[in-house]
Amino acid sequence: MNRTRLSFGIVLVLVGAVWALQGLNVGFVPESAMTGQTTWVVLGSLAVLAGLGLIWWSRLPSKVSDKNQ
């Protein structure tokens, strides 16, 4: 389960960063519908924060697995 959280967290950070950069017009596709849109900056930033939260959560020791060992 921790690997799943870590994987989703990493993907969410990367996707959120792309969204935020597109919204800031630092994007990878100059004529995208996302380019220069504040909405994507906000959504991307939230996705990055959620991804970092998942990464942090995946690094915590699991109490269930400690009892099984």
Side-chain angles (χ1 to χ4, degrees):
M1 183 68 99
N2 285 340
R3 287 185 185 170
T4 304
R5 285 185 209 131
L6 179 62
S7 299
F8 279 126
I10 290 170
V11 169
L12 202 52
V13 167
L14 293 174
V15 169
V18 169
W19 287 353
L21 289 173
Q22 279 289 112
L24 289 170
N25 204 16
V26 183
F28 309 98
V29 182
E31 296 300 320
S32 169
M34 296 169 63
T35 303
Q37 299 294 319
T38 306
T39 302
W40 292 108
V41 176
V42 172
L43 291 175
S45 299
L46 291 173
V48 168
L49 289 175
L52 290 173
L54 279 174
I55 292 169
W56 173 77
W57 187 23
S58 74
R59 306 305 296 162
L60 292 176
S62 177
K63 293 179 182 173
V64 174
S65 64
D66 291 341
K67 290 180 182 178
N68 291 335
Q69 291 180 355

Coordinates of all heavy atoms in Angstrom, one line a residue:
M1 N 0.8 -1.2 0.0 CA 0.0 0.0 0.0 C 0.9 1.3 0.0 O 0.5 2.2 -0.7 CB -0.9 0.0 1.2 CG -1.9 1.1 1.3 SD -3.1 1.2 0.0 CE -4.5 0.5 0.9
N2 N 2.0 1.2 0.7 CA 2.8 2.4 0.8 C 3.5 2.7 -0.6 O 3.6 3.9 -0.9 CB 3.9 2.3 1.8 CG 3.4 2.4 3.2 OD1 2.3 3.0 3.4 ND2 4.1 1.9 4.2
R3 N 3.8 1.7 -1.3 CA 4.3 1.9 -2.7 C 3.3 2.5 -3.6 O 3.7 3.3 -4.5 CB 4.9 0.6 -3.3 CG 6.1 0.1 -2.6 CD 6.7 -1.1 -3.3 NE 7.8 -1.6 -2.6 CZ 8.4 -2.7 -2.8 NH1 7.9 -3.5 -3.7 NH2 9.4 -3.1 -2.1
T4 N 2.1 2.1 -3.4 CA 1.0 2.7 -4.3 C 0.8 4.2 -4.0 O 0.7 5.0 -4.9 CB -0.3 1.9 -4.0 OG1 -0.1 0.5 -4.2 CG2 -1.4 2.5 -4.9
R5 N 0.8 4.5 -2.7 CA 0.7 5.9 -2.3 C 1.9 6.7 -2.8 O 1.7 7.8 -3.3 CB 0.6 6.1 -0.8 CG -0.6 5.7 -0.2 CD -0.6 6.0 1.3 NE -1.5 5.0 2.0 CZ -1.2 4.3 3.0 NH1 -0.1 4.4 3.6 NH2 -2.1 3.5 3.6
L6 N 3.1 6.2 -2.7 CA 4.3 6.8 -3.2 C 4.2 7.0 -4.7 O 4.5 8.1 -5.2 CB 5.5 6.0 -2.8 CG 6.9 6.6 -3.3 CD1 7.1 8.0 -2.6 CD2 8.0 5.6 -3.0
S7 N 3.8 6.0 -5.4 CA 3.7 6.1 -6.9 C 2.7 7.2 -7.3 O 2.9 8.0 -8.1 CB 3.3 4.8 -7.5 OG 4.3 3.8 -7.2
F8 N 1.5 7.1 -6.7 CA 0.5 8.1 -7.0 C 0.9 9.5 -6.6 O 0.6 10.5 -7.3 CB -0.9 7.8 -6.3 CG -1.7 6.8 -7.0 CD1 -2.1 5.6 -6.4 CD2 -2.0 6.9 -8.4 CE1 -2.9 4.7 -7.0 CE2 -2.8 6.0 -9.0 CZ -3.2 4.8 -8.4
G9 N 1.6 9.6 -5.5 CA 2.1 10.9 -5.1 C 3.1 11.5 -6.1 O 3.0 12.7 -6.4
I10 N 4.0 10.7 -6.5 CA 5.0 11.2 -7.5 C 4.3 11.6 -8.8 O 4.6 12.7 -9.4 CB 6.1 10.1 -7.8 CG1 6.9 9.9 -6.5 CG2 6.9 10.4 -9.0 CD1 7.9 8.7 -6.6
V11 N 3.4 10.8 -9.3 CA 2.7 11.1 -10.5 C 1.9 12.4 -10.3 O 1.9 13.3 -11.2 CB 1.8 10.0 -11.0 CG1 0.8 10.4 -12.1 CG2 2.6 8.8 -11.4
L12 N 1.3 12.6 -9.2 CA 0.5 13.8 -8.9 C 1.3 15.0 -8.9 O 1.0 16.1 -9.4 CB -0.3 13.6 -7.6 CG -1.6 14.4 -7.4 CD1 -2.5 14.4 -8.6 CD2 -2.3 14.0 -6.2
V13 N 2.5 14.9 -8.3 CA 3.4 16.0 -8.2 C 3.9 16.4 -9.6 O 3.9 17.6 -10.0 CB 4.7 15.7 -7.3 CG1 5.8 16.8 -7.5 CG2 4.3 15.7 -5.9
L14 N 4.2 15.5 -10.4 CA 4.7 15.7 -11.8 C 3.6 16.4 -12.6 O 3.8 17.3 -13.3 CB 5.2 14.5 -12.4 CG 6.5 13.9 -11.8 CD1 6.9 12.6 -12.5 CD2 7.7 14.9 -11.9
V15 N 2.4 15.8 -12.6 CA 1.3 16.3 -13.4 C 0.9 17.7 -12.9 O 0.7 18.6 -13.7 CB 0.1 15.3 -13.3 CG1 -1.2 16.0 -13.9 CG2 0.4 14.0 -14.0
G16 N 0.9 17.9 -11.6 CA 0.5 19.2 -11.0 C 1.5 20.2 -11.4 O 1.2 21.4 -11.7
A17 N 2.8 19.9 -11.5 CA 3.9 20.8 -11.9 C 3.7 21.2 -13.3 O 3.8 22.4 -13.7 CB 5.2 20.2 -11.6
V18 N 3.4 20.3 -14.2 CA 3.1 20.6 -15.6 C 1.9 21.5 -15.7 O 2.0 22.5 -16.5 CB 2.9 19.3 -16.4 CG1 2.4 19.6 -17.8 CG2 4.2 18.5 -16.5
W19 N 0.9 21.2 -15.0 CA -0.3 22.1 -15.1 C 0.0 23.5 -14.6 O -0.4 24.5 -15.2 CB -1.4 21.5 -14.2 CG -2.1 20.3 -14.7 CD1 -1.9 19.7 -15.9 CD2 -3.1 19.5 -14.0 NE1 -2.7 18.6 -16.0 CE2 -3.4 18.5 -14.9 CE3 -3.6 19.6 -12.8 CZ2 -4.4 17.5 -14.5 CZ3 -4.6 18.6 -12.4 CH2 -4.9 17.6 -13.3
A20 N 0.7 23.6 -13.5 CA 1.0 24.9 -13.0 C 1.9 25.7 -13.9 O 1.8 26.9 -14.2 CB 1.7 24.8 -11.6
L21 N 2.9 25.0 -14.5 CA 3.8 25.7 -15.5 C 3.1 26.1 -16.7 O 3.3 27.2 -17.2 CB 5.0 24.8 -15.8 CG 6.0 24.6 -14.7 CD1 7.0 23.5 -15.1 CD2 6.7 25.8 -14.3
Q22 N 2.1 25.3 -17.2 CA 1.3 25.7 -18.3 C 0.5 27.0 -18.0 O 0.4 27.9 -18.8 CB 0.4 24.6 -18.7 CG 1.0 23.5 -19.6 CD 1.3 24.0 -21.0 OE1 2.4 24.1 -21.3 NE2 0.3 24.2 -21.7
G23 N -0.1 27.0 -16.8 CA -0.9 28.1 -16.4 C 0.0 29.4 -16.2 O -0.5 30.5 -16.4
L24 N 1.2 29.2 -15.9 CA 2.1 30.4 -15.7 C 2.7 30.8 -17.0 O 3.6 31.7 -17.1 CB 3.2 30.0 -14.7 CG 2.8 29.9 -13.3 CD1 3.9 29.4 -12.4 CD2 2.4 31.3 -12.7
N25 N 2.4 30.1 -18.1 CA 2.9 30.4 -19.4 C 4.4 30.0 -19.6 O 5.1 30.7 -20.3 CB 2.6 31.8 -19.9 CG 2.6 32.0 -21.3 OD1 2.5 31.0 -22.1 ND2 2.7 33.2 -21.8
V26 N 4.8 29.1 -18.8 CA 6.2 28.6 -18.9 C 6.1 27.2 -19.5 O 7.0 26.4 -19.5 CB 6.8 28.5 -17.5 CG1 8.3 28.0 -17.5 CG2 6.7 29.8 -16.7
G27 N 5.0 26.9 -20.1 CA 4.6 25.6 -20.6 C 5.4 25.0 -21.7 O 6.3 25.6 -22.2
F28 N 5.0 23.8 -22.0 CA 5.7 23.0 -23.0 C 5.0 23.1 -24.4 O 5.6 22.8 -25.4 CB 5.7 21.6 -22.5 CG 6.2 21.5 -21.1 CD1 5.3 21.4 -20.0 CD2 7.6 21.5 -20.8 CE1 5.8 21.3 -18.7 CE2 8.0 21.5 -19.6 CZ 7.2 21.4 -18.5
V29 N 3.7 23.5 -24.4 CA 3.0 23.7 -25.6 C 2.5 25.1 -25.6 O 1.6 25.5 -24.9 CB 1.8 22.7 -25.6 CG1 1.0 22.9 -27.0 CG2 2.2 21.3 -25.4
P30 N 3.1 26.0 -26.4 CA 2.9 27.4 -26.4 C 1.4 27.8 -26.7 O 0.9 28.8 -26.2 CB 3.8 28.0 -27.4 CG 4.5 26.9 -28.1 CD 4.1 25.6 -27.4
E31 N 0.7 27.1 -27.5 CA -0.6 27.4 -27.9 C -1.7 26.5 -27.3 O -2.7 26.2 -27.9 CB -0.8 27.4 -29.5 CG 0.1 28.4 -30.1 CD -0.2 29.9 -29.7 OE1 -1.4 30.2 -29.6 OE2 0.7 30.6 -29.5
S32 N -1.5 26.1 -26.1 CA -2.4 25.2 -25.4 C -3.5 26.0 -24.8 O -3.4 27.2 -24.5 CB -1.7 24.5 -24.3 OG -2.6 23.8 -23.4
A33 N -4.7 25.4 -24.6 CA -5.8 26.1 -23.9 C -5.5 26.4 -22.5 O -6.1 27.2 -21.8 CB -7.0 25.2 -24.0
M34 N -4.5 25.7 -21.9 CA -4.1 25.9 -20.5 C -3.1 27.0 -20.3 O -3.0 27.5 -19.2 CB -3.4 24.6 -20.0 CG -4.3 23.4 -19.9 SD -3.4 21.9 -19.6 CE -2.8 22.1 -18.0
T35 N -2.5 27.5 -21.4 CA -1.5 28.5 -21.3 C -2.0 29.8 -20.8 O -3.0 30.4 -21.3 CB -0.8 28.7 -22.7 OG1 -0.3 27.4 -23.2 CG2 0.3 29.7 -22.6
G36 N -1.4 30.3 -19.8 CA -1.7 31.6 -19.2 C -3.0 31.7 -18.4 O -3.5 32.8 -18.1
Q37 N -3.6 30.5 -18.0 CA -4.8 30.5 -17.3 C -4.6 30.3 -15.8 O -3.9 29.3 -15.4 CB -5.7 29.3 -17.8 CG -6.1 29.5 -19.3 CD -7.0 30.6 -19.5 OE1 -7.9 30.9 -18.8 NE2 -6.7 31.3 -20.6
T38 N -5.1 31.2 -15.0 CA -4.9 31.1 -13.6 C -5.5 29.8 -13.0 O -5.0 29.3 -12.0 CB -5.6 32.4 -12.9 OG1 -5.1 33.5 -13.5 CG2 -5.3 32.4 -11.4
T39 N -6.6 29.4 -13.6 CA -7.2 28.1 -13.1 C -6.2 27.0 -13.0 O -6.2 26.2 -12.0 CB -8.4 27.7 -14.0 OG1 -9.3 28.8 -14.1 CG2 -9.1 26.5 -13.5
W40 N -5.4 26.9 -14.0 CA -4.4 25.8 -14.1 C -3.3 26.0 -13.1 O -2.7 25.0 -12.6 CB -3.9 25.5 -15.5 CG -5.0 25.0 -16.3 CD1 -5.7 25.7 -17.3 CD2 -5.7 23.8 -16.2 NE1 -6.7 24.9 -17.8 CE2 -6.7 23.7 -17.2 CE3 -5.4 22.6 -15.4 CZ2 -7.5 22.6 -17.3 CZ3 -6.3 21.5 -15.6 CH2 -7.3 21.5 -16.5
V41 N -2.9 27.2 -12.8 CA -1.9 27.5 -11.7 C -2.5 27.0 -10.4 O -1.7 26.3 -9.7 CB -1.6 29.0 -11.7 CG1 -0.6 29.2 -10.5 CG2 -1.0 29.4 -13.0
V42 N -3.7 27.3 -10.1 CA -4.3 26.9 -8.8 C -4.5 25.4 -8.8 O -4.1 24.7 -7.8 CB -5.7 27.6 -8.6 CG1 -6.4 27.1 -7.4 CG2 -5.5 29.1 -8.5
L43 N -5.1 24.8 -9.8 CA -5.3 23.3 -9.8 C -3.9 22.6 -9.7 O -3.8 21.6 -9.1 CB -6.1 22.9 -11.0 CG -7.5 23.3 -11.0 CD1 -8.2 23.0 -12.3 CD2 -8.3 22.7 -9.8
G44 N -2.9 23.1 -10.5 CA -1.6 22.4 -10.5 C -1.0 22.5 -9.1 O -0.4 21.6 -8.6
S45 N -1.1 23.7 -8.5 CA -0.5 23.8 -7.2 C -1.2 22.9 -6.1 O -0.5 22.3 -5.3 CB -0.6 25.3 -6.7 OG 0.1 26.1 -7.6
L46 N -2.5 22.8 -6.2 CA -3.2 21.9 -5.3 C -2.8 20.4 -5.6 O -2.7 19.7 -4.6 CB -4.7 22.1 -5.5 CG -5.3 23.4 -5.0 CD1 -6.8 23.5 -5.3 CD2 -5.1 23.5 -3.5
A47 N -2.6 20.1 -6.8 CA -2.2 18.7 -7.2 C -0.8 18.4 -6.6 O -0.6 17.4 -6.1 CB -2.3 18.5 -8.7
V48 N 0.1 19.4 -6.7 CA 1.4 19.2 -6.2 C 1.4 19.0 -4.7 O 2.0 18.1 -4.1 CB 2.4 20.4 -6.6 CG1 3.6 20.4 -5.8 CG2 2.7 20.4 -8.1
L49 N 0.6 19.9 -4.0 CA 0.5 19.7 -2.5 C -0.2 18.4 -2.2 O 0.3 17.7 -1.2 CB -0.4 20.9 -2.0 CG 0.3 22.2 -2.0 CD1 -0.7 23.3 -1.5 CD2 1.5 22.3 -1.1
A50 N -1.2 17.9 -2.9 CA -1.8 16.6 -2.6 C -0.8 15.5 -2.8 O -0.7 14.6 -2.1 CB -3.0 16.4 -3.5
G51 N 0.0 15.6 -3.9 CA 1.0 14.6 -4.2 C 2.1 14.6 -3.1 O 2.5 13.5 -2.7
L52 N 2.5 15.7 -2.7 CA 3.5 15.8 -1.6 C 2.9 15.2 -0.3 O 3.7 14.5 0.4 CB 4.0 17.2 -1.3 CG 4.8 17.8 -2.4 CD1 5.1 19.3 -2.1 CD2 6.1 17.1 -2.6
G53 N 1.6 15.4 -0.1 CA 1.0 14.8 1.1 C 1.0 13.3 1.0 O 1.2 12.6 2.0
L54 N 0.7 12.8 -0.2 CA 0.7 11.3 -0.4 C 2.1 10.7 -0.2 O 2.3 9.7 0.4 CB 0.2 11.0 -1.8 CG -1.3 10.9 -2.0 CD1 -1.6 10.7 -3.5 CD2 -1.9 9.8 -1.2
I55 N 3.1 11.5 -0.7 CA 4.5 11.0 -0.6 C 4.8 11.0 0.9 O 5.4 10.0 1.4 CB 5.5 11.9 -1.4 CG1 5.2 11.7 -2.9 CG2 6.9 11.6 -1.0 CD1 6.0 12.7 -3.7
W56 N 4.5 12.0 1.6 CA 4.8 12.1 3.1 C 4.0 10.9 3.8 O 4.6 10.2 4.6 CB 4.3 13.4 3.6 CG 4.4 13.5 5.1 CD1 5.6 13.7 5.9 CD2 3.4 13.4 6.1 NE1 5.2 13.7 7.2 CE2 3.9 13.5 7.3 CE3 2.0 13.2 5.9 CZ2 3.1 13.5 8.5 CZ3 1.2 13.2 7.0 CH2 1.8 13.3 8.3
W57 N 2.8 10.7 3.4 CA 2.0 9.7 4.1 C 2.6 8.3 3.8 O 2.6 7.4 4.7 CB 0.6 9.7 3.6 CG -0.4 8.8 4.2 CD1 -0.4 8.3 5.5 CD2 -1.7 8.4 3.7 NE1 -1.5 7.5 5.7 CE2 -2.3 7.6 4.6 CE3 -2.3 8.6 2.5 CZ2 -3.5 7.0 4.4 CZ3 -3.5 8.0 2.3 CH2 -4.1 7.2 3.2
S58 N 3.1 8.1 2.6 CA 3.7 6.8 2.2 C 5.0 6.5 3.0 O 5.4 5.4 3.2 CB 4.0 6.7 0.7 OG 5.1 7.5 0.4
R59 N 5.6 7.5 3.5 CA 6.9 7.4 4.2 C 6.7 7.1 5.7 O 7.6 6.7 6.4 CB 7.8 8.6 4.1 CG 8.0 9.0 2.6 CD 8.6 8.0 1.7 NE 9.9 7.6 2.2 CZ 10.5 6.4 1.9 NH1 9.9 5.6 1.1 NH2 11.7 6.2 2.4
L60 N 5.4 7.3 6.2 CA 5.2 7.0 7.6 C 5.2 5.5 7.8 O 4.7 4.7 7.0 CB 3.8 7.6 8.0 CG 3.7 9.1 8.1 CD1 2.3 9.5 8.4 CD2 4.7 9.7 9.0
P61 N 5.6 5.0 9.0 CA 5.6 3.6 9.3 C 4.1 3.1 9.4 O 3.3 3.8 10.0 CB 6.3 3.5 10.6 CG 6.4 4.8 11.2 CD 6.2 5.8 10.1
S62 N 3.9 2.0 8.8 CA 2.5 1.4 8.9 C 2.4 0.6 10.2 O 3.1 -0.3 10.5 CB 2.3 0.5 7.7 OG 1.1 -0.1 7.8
K63 N 1.4 0.9 11.0 CA 1.2 0.3 12.3 C 0.6 -1.1 12.1 O 0.9 -2.0 12.9 CB 0.2 1.1 13.1 CG 0.9 2.4 13.6 CD -0.1 3.2 14.4 CE 0.7 4.5 14.7 NZ -0.2 5.5 15.4
V64 N -0.1 -1.4 11.0 CA -0.7 -2.7 10.7 C 0.4 -3.7 10.4 O 0.5 -4.8 10.9 CB -1.7 -2.6 9.6 CG1 -2.2 -4.0 9.2 CG2 -2.9 -1.7 9.9
S65 N 1.4 -3.3 9.6 CA 2.5 -4.2 9.2 C 3.4 -4.4 10.4 O 4.0 -5.5 10.5 CB 3.3 -3.7 8.1 OG 3.9 -2.5 8.4
D66 N 3.5 -3.5 11.4 CA 4.4 -3.7 12.5 C 3.8 -4.8 13.4 O 4.5 -5.6 14.0 CB 4.5 -2.4 13.3 CG 5.3 -1.3 12.6 OD1 6.1 -1.7 11.7 OD2 5.2 -0.2 13.0
K67 N 2.4 -4.9 13.5 CA 1.8 -5.9 14.3 C 1.9 -7.3 13.7 O 2.0 -8.3 14.5 CB 0.3 -5.5 14.5 CG 0.1 -4.3 15.4 CD -1.4 -4.0 15.5 CE -1.6 -2.8 16.3 NZ -3.0 -2.4 16.4
N68 N 2.0 -7.3 12.4 CA 2.1 -8.6 11.7 C 3.5 -9.2 11.8 O 3.7 -10.4 11.5 CB 1.6 -8.5 10.3 CG 0.1 -8.3 10.2 OD1 -0.6 -8.6 11.1 ND2 -0.3 -7.6 9.1
Q69 N 4.5 -8.5 12.1 CA 5.8 -9.0 12.1 C 6.3 -9.6 13.4 O 6.2 -9.6 14.4 CB 6.8 -7.9 11.7 CG 6.6 -7.5 10.3 CD 7.6 -6.3 9.9 OE1 8.3 -5.8 10.7 NE2 7.6 -6.0 8.6

